[in-house]
Amino acid sequence: MLTEPALLPSLAPQDLPSAVEEELAALPFIDVHTHLFMPSLGGLGLWGIDELLTYHYLEAELFRSNPIAPDRYWKLSKREQADLIWKTLFVENAPVSEATRGVAAVLKAFGLPTDASDLRDARAFFTAQDPEQHIRRVFELAGISEAVMTNDPLDPQEAPLWERGANPDPQFHAVLRLDRILNKWQEHWSVLQSKGYSVDADATGNSVAEVRRFLTSWSARMKPVYMAVSLPDTFQFPDDGVRARLLAEAVVPACRELGIPLSLMIGVRYQVNPALRLAGDAVGKADLRALERLAVGYPDNRFLVSVLSRENQHELCVYARKFRNLMPFGCWWFLNNPSIVEEITRERLEMLGVSFIPQHSDARVLEQVIYKWRNTRRTLGPILTRAYQLLTEDGRRVTRAEVRSDVTRLFRSNFERFAGLRSRS
Ligand code: RAT
Ligand code: ZN
């Protein structure tokens, strides 16, 4: 039996909501997956009102409420696109969707009008910001201490910046993204070849060893906290394709040697409507037996896993109960809506306790972290409170220290430990 002093001072049921809310507000979170960039890669980073409005989540919504043909839309300048989205989704309609509401929340956070007929004030505000100071302020407002980037060594814009030696920044962590190598080998093997790696179109001969050499060399340059790939709903492992071979023989051993996890984001149906470009991807239910084979086949590797289909979420929890080398993270993309986040997070808490990472922002535009993390705190507060209320009703009160420790695990230390962050220099 637990002794009374260990439980004291326990929280009375009526104090639970505010205790949870305060702990969530006080902790600086780690944003474990974004598309943001540290200042030394600054040219790549998106920020400001025009980028916020032309986020691909909003572009998808534009085409539902405005008759403009995608072809015509893509010919407009960024400014004209932003004006059109503002007029359609914010002036002619109330911005009630998750992605539109987010823009309103960002404007409000900076004291800008949320119901203006045009973007003059917002543009003037963002243009006046010093980029580096602005990043620090946005992180403060979002309640995050660090953001994990997505860094593509085969991106023609990004790679040269790293090759010249990009200055690291303590608020940003790098991630070696593998989509071009694992999903688009046919289009990219010759790029590796042009960089001095002896690879071929069918990934035969030395190719696998050379890909591993490439990953090792880029890891030395980027110091990634993990490697990552997004995968289709049709992903199978093992199979006799190039992807599975490169995964098994180059990526997995490289991650193991470096002591870093591999992040698998599974369930995208790429370009079901190519006319929408980035907004043209959809979702499909995946066969998570592929994940099972990775987890069981490589017990010394660690896998961060996010699945895009709502239908796969329960299975992912079951697999996480079987394999401690799987870490479920985030409610990704089409799942990042309060109703779905709530369902998934409750399921995870019920099945995994606090041994998972509830959310990442996936921000592509700097200021999005403000609304995305605000929404996460708002959704998570009642869910955690409810879990503690049920526990209290069942006779076990919780202490403030326990709430703090749970919140810390969920939004910081599960990631730090799983990625081995603390053991790095
Ligand atoms: O959520 C998104 O913005 C998607 O377009 C993807 O970028 C996804 O997050 C990914 O990293 O592949
Ligand atoms: Zn992403």
Side-chain angles (χ1 to χ4, degrees):
M1 211 180 87
L2 282 165
T3 55
E4 200 54 15
L7 293 173
L8 284 174
S10 56
L11 292 160
Q14 68 274 15
D15 296 332
L16 284 168
S18 58
V20 169
E21 212 175 288
E22 283 163 23
E23 293 303 330
L24 283 169
L27 182 78
F29 293 179
I30 300 179
D31 194 341
V32 307
H33 168 59
T34 75
H35 298 264
L36 304 180
F37 292 94
M38 61 189 179
S40 58
L41 301 171
L44 304 173
L46 305 179
W47 57 285
I49 190 64
D50 290 337
E51 299 295 352
L52 284 166
L53 287 167
T54 54
Y55 184 33
H56 69 90
Y57 292 26
L58 293 180
E59 289 175 332
E61 292 176 33
L62 168 76
F63 295 119
R64 299 202 51 77
S65 293
N66 188 298
I68 190 166
D71 275 0
R72 255 196 67 213
Y73 173 80
W74 300 120
K75 288 196 186 102
L76 300 176
S77 67
K78 168 111 2 186
R79 223 183 143 93
E80 290 168 333
Q81 291 173 341
D83 283 333
L84 182 64
I85 292 181
W86 181 257
K87 176 168 137 323
T88 306
L89 300 179
F90 293 79
V91 179
E92 293 170 359
N93 293 279
V96 294
S97 74
E98 179 70 7
T100 51
R101 191 160 49 74
V103 177
V106 170
L107 292 171
K108 178 165 177 282
F110 291 114
L112 293 164
T114 53
D115 57 358
S117 58
D118 62 42
L119 298 170
R120 214 168 321 169
D121 289 349
R123 283 193 178 119
F125 169 80
F126 287 108
T127 314
Q129 303 308 307
D130 166 74
E132 219 165 299
Q133 276 171 18
H134 187 53
I135 292 177
R136 312 293 168 220
R137 181 172 175 205
V138 166
F139 275 34
E140 283 273 332
L141 287 167
I144 58 172
S145 61
E146 292 134 87
V148 177
M149 303 180 279
T150 297
N151 306 102
D152 183 346
L154 291 180
D155 181 300
Q157 257 94 54
E158 182 168 1
L161 300 174
W162 286 103
E163 279 158 348
R164 266 181 252 139
N167 251 346
D169 183 300
Q171 289 200 282
F172 290 88
H173 300 290
V175 158
L176 210 173
R177 181 81 177 217
L178 305 167
D179 288 39
R180 287 183 210 234
I181 296 174
L182 291 180
N183 296 338
K184 294 183 176 167
W185 179 254
Q186 281 316 314
E187 293 94 311
H188 292 98
W189 70 270
S190 56
V191 182
L192 259 82
Q193 194 185 49
S194 72
K195 289 177 186 270
Y197 294 88
S198 148
V199 294
D200 61 51
D202 299 318
T204 56
N206 265 348
S207 296
V208 163
E210 285 291 90
V211 168
R212 191 162 164 186
R213 185 165 73 85
F214 175 81
L215 298 177
T216 307
S217 145
W218 273 87
S219 296
R221 186 175 279 130
M222 285 180 174
K223 312 229 172 0
V225 288
Y226 59 81
M227 295 193 202
V229 61
S230 87
L231 293 161
D233 59 325
T234 53
F235 172 59
Q236 288 297 337
F237 185 89
D239 75 4
D240 38 18
V242 168
R243 181 203 283 131
R245 187 145 36 90
L246 291 178
L247 201 50
E249 294 171 32
V251 174
V252 164
C255 285
R256 198 166 52 234
E257 185 181 272
L258 293 158
I260 57 175
L262 172 63
S263 167
L264 306 167
M265 303 177 77
I266 309 171
V268 188
R269 295 197 59 229
Y270 298 104
Q271 295 295 284
V272 299
N273 186 356
L276 301 193
R277 300 192 181 173
L278 255 190
D281 295 346
V283 56
K285 183 180 186 304
D287 177 1
L288 292 193
R289 266 173 267 213
L291 183 63
E292 173 185 328
R293 291 181 196 118
L294 280 163
V296 84
Y298 303 100
D300 297 330
N301 278 80
R302 302 187 300 283
F303 301 94
L304 285 155
V305 186
S306 211
V307 285
L308 191 53
S309 149
R310 183 181 172 199
E311 289 71 22
N312 279 136
Q313 301 302 326
H314 182 255
E315 269 171 286
L316 176 60
C317 289
V318 175
Y319 280 125
R321 291 177 64 91
K322 306 300 123 190
F323 301 107
R324 70 198 310 180
N325 60 339
L326 296 188
M327 176 62 84
F329 78 96
C331 301
W332 173 31
W333 204 342
F334 312 115
L335 303 168
N336 192 1
N337 304 300
S339 60
I340 301 178
V341 171
E342 185 178 333
E343 169 187 295
I344 295 174
T345 308
R346 289 177 68 149
E347 186 171 74
R348 288 175 175 172
L349 266 181
E350 286 162 0
M351 295 179 75
L352 305 171
V354 291
S355 68
F356 66 99
I357 299 168
Q359 193 53 301
H360 64 274
S361 77
D362 232 314
R364 278 177 186 268
V365 182
L366 175 66
E367 299 85 357
Q368 287 171 342
V369 291
I370 298 172
Y371 86 82
K372 292 193 183 224
W373 284 114
R374 177 189 153 89
N375 291 359
T376 294
R377 285 183 168 90
R378 183 160 58 189
T379 309
L380 264 282
I383 296 173
L384 280 175
T385 300
R386 180 79 189 127
Y388 295 131
Q389 270 162 352
L390 289 174
L391 181 58
T392 306
E393 278 169 29
D394 286 343
R396 164 64 156 87
R397 287 194 169 194
V398 291
T399 64
R400 183 75 177 222
E402 286 176 314
V403 175
R404 181 167 302 170
S405 145
D406 286 352
V407 168
T408 306
R409 271 194 72 183
L410 291 166
F411 291 103
R412 287 197 72 86
S413 58
N414 283 341
F415 179 72
E416 288 175 323
R417 280 201 210 104
F418 202 75
L421 265 191
R422 286 199 188 125
S423 54
R424 271 152 211 279
S425 52

